[in-house]
Amino acid sequence: MCPDFDEVARRKELKQVEWRRIRRNKDADLLETVEEVFDRRTVMALYGLINKGVIEGMKGVVKAGKESRIYLAGGMNGEDLAIKIYLTSSMEFKKSMLQYIQGDPRFKIGHDYRRIVNTWAQKEFKNLTEATRAGVPVPRPIHVEENILIMEFLGEDGVPSPILKEIPKQYLYLGMYEEIIKSADRLYRVGNLIHADLSEYNVMVHNGKTYLIDFGQAVPREHPMAEEFLRRDIGNIIRFFDKAGIGVPDVEEVLKWMKRT
Ligand SMILES: Nc1ncnc2c1ncn2[C@@H]1O[C@H](COP(=O)(O)OP(=O)(O)OP(=O)(O)O)[C@@H](O)[C@H]1O
Ligand SMILES: [Mg+2]
């Protein structure tokens, strides 16, 4: 079938207009480096977020992981935002994420990998939203699109606050442990969720308060492996504080308390 000539011209013109808007953007440099890491669809979605005014621009990389990258971005009111972009190329990630999506009735698995990665970003956004609603301290979720998640930036002057693992031993104290366990408990009992990757790597210490982060793999209590994930989460936190010489209760005692009626 021969495409309508006018339609072809219109699309071409639209593309040029789009391109001009992108070029005009002062963040073109950063987006160019982003282009080397991410596929075209991700880059277009980022352009879209800037054009729609969700973000004002990209400011730099915060952390580059195997499965995702965290960028610092500027919001429309001059505030700092964190942008988590899931990589669409990690095969290992694909295998590991399936066990968390399967068994979660809130999500259906798509066939192509791109759709699975997008589902993962949606899942993290939804989990953050539910955690926020339950009153658990987490970065406030702002927007999700394709494989891109935008949330509150925990840090100052573009520098992220430390994760628990980075806090020197002498600054760790029992109250910090209690705060994290209370957050996990609230997430479980009020938010109906289990973090499922809780450890000293996924807690940030910001303005003297602990925040749980990295919610992609969190599952509802109905998940077939929920109990196993919960025991592992609590165990990780207890082990970390125990190693630092802080007297903490044992895992079974905490789990029993979390199941109180
Ligand atoms: N909202 C935020 N504000 C500031 N920094 C953040 C925020 N979220 C994450 N970070 C930083 O980015 C790092 C990675 O984030 P996160 O744990 O969500 O990703 P990840 O999936 O674990 O990445 P990885 O591939 O390294 O495992 C965190 O350890 C933290 O330093
Ligand atoms: Mg993490």
Side-chain angles (χ1 to χ4, degrees):
M1 208 168 72
C2 182
D4 179 349
F5 180 76
D6 280 343
E7 176 59 15
V8 172
R10 197 185 65 78
R11 274 198 219 156
K12 206 170 153 191
E13 192 180 39
L14 201 72
K15 263 217 127 46
Q16 274 166 0
V17 172
E18 242 176 51
W19 192 242
R20 251 182 272 131
R21 275 162 83 183
I22 291 160
R23 284 283 139 195
R24 252 195 290 136
N25 195 294
K26 63 179 184 324
D27 298 297
D29 277 357
L30 182 68
L31 283 173
E32 267 164 31
T33 50
V34 161
E35 263 175 276
E36 288 164 20
V37 187
F38 297 108
D39 64 355
R40 195 175 169 278
R41 226 167 113 176
T42 306
V43 176
M44 289 320 284
L46 276 173
Y47 288 147
L49 289 173
I50 293 173
N51 285 336
K52 272 189 273 181
V54 179
I55 54 172
E56 197 260 332
M58 305 279 283
K59 291 182 177 174
V61 185
V62 174
K63 281 260 154 77
K66 296 180 298 308
E67 295 144 5
S68 70
R69 265 167 208 218
I70 307 266
Y71 290 85
L72 170 70
M76 298 314 281
N77 303 313
E79 76 279 26
D80 281 341
L81 296 174
I83 305 201
K84 184 169 184 174
I85 309 181
Y86 283 101
L87 298 169
T88 49
S89 52
S90 161
M91 271 315 275
E92 217 158 285
F93 183 33
K94 178 185 178 178
K95 274 189 250 147
S96 75
M97 54 164 62
L98 274 176
Q99 66 170 319
Y100 297 94
I101 297 178
Q102 282 166 342
D104 186 338
R106 298 172 303 166
F107 299 95
K108 290 226 170 1
I109 308 163
H111 286 294
D112 60 302
Y113 183 45
R114 174 87 210 183
R115 258 174 65 196
I116 298 175
V117 175
N118 288 2
T119 302
W120 198 251
Q122 313 280 326
K123 188 169 182 279
E124 175 152 27
F125 184 81
K126 196 162 200 308
N127 288 335
L128 283 172
T129 306
E130 285 173 16
T132 304
R133 204 175 291 144
V136 179
V138 300
R140 191 168 45 84
I142 292 167
H143 189 88
V144 67
E145 198 156 315
E146 300 266 340
N147 52 331
I148 303 166
L149 167 71
I150 303 179
M151 61 189 146
E152 173 190 5
F153 182 79
L154 302 179
E156 222 182 296
D157 300 327
V159 181
S161 294
I163 56 170
L164 184 58
K165 167 85 185 158
E166 294 165 341
I167 305 287
K169 229 173 160 179
Q170 66 267 33
Y171 295 113
L172 299 171
Y173 58 100
L174 186 66
M176 220 173 203
Y177 157 81
E178 286 171 348
E179 205 178 279
I180 297 165
I181 294 295
K182 272 187 197 149
S183 292
D185 180 63
R186 193 165 254 279
L187 187 68
Y188 182 67
R189 292 170 60 92
V190 184
N192 202 47
L193 286 175
I194 292 146
H195 185 286
D197 191 23
L198 191 61
S199 76
E200 60 274 31
Y201 293 93
N202 284 330
V203 175
M204 289 181 78
V205 183
H206 178 63
N207 289 339
K209 245 182 78 176
T210 55
Y211 288 76
L212 310 190
I213 63 158
D214 201 0
F215 271 77
Q217 68 297 310
V219 295
R221 278 167 75 160
E222 298 75 44
H223 190 282
M225 285 172 78
E227 288 306 303
E228 206 176 314
F229 293 150
L230 182 67
R231 177 168 275 107
R232 191 178 64 191
D233 279 1
I234 302 301
N236 287 341
I237 297 301
I238 287 181
R239 198 175 321 107
F240 176 77
F241 281 94
D242 185 45
K243 259 192 179 162
I246 288 162
V248 285
D250 72 36
V251 182
E252 295 312 318
E253 200 179 315
V254 177
L255 289 175
K256 201 172 149 213
W257 172 73
M258 286 178 80
K259 290 186 178 150
R260 68 199 180 277
T261 43

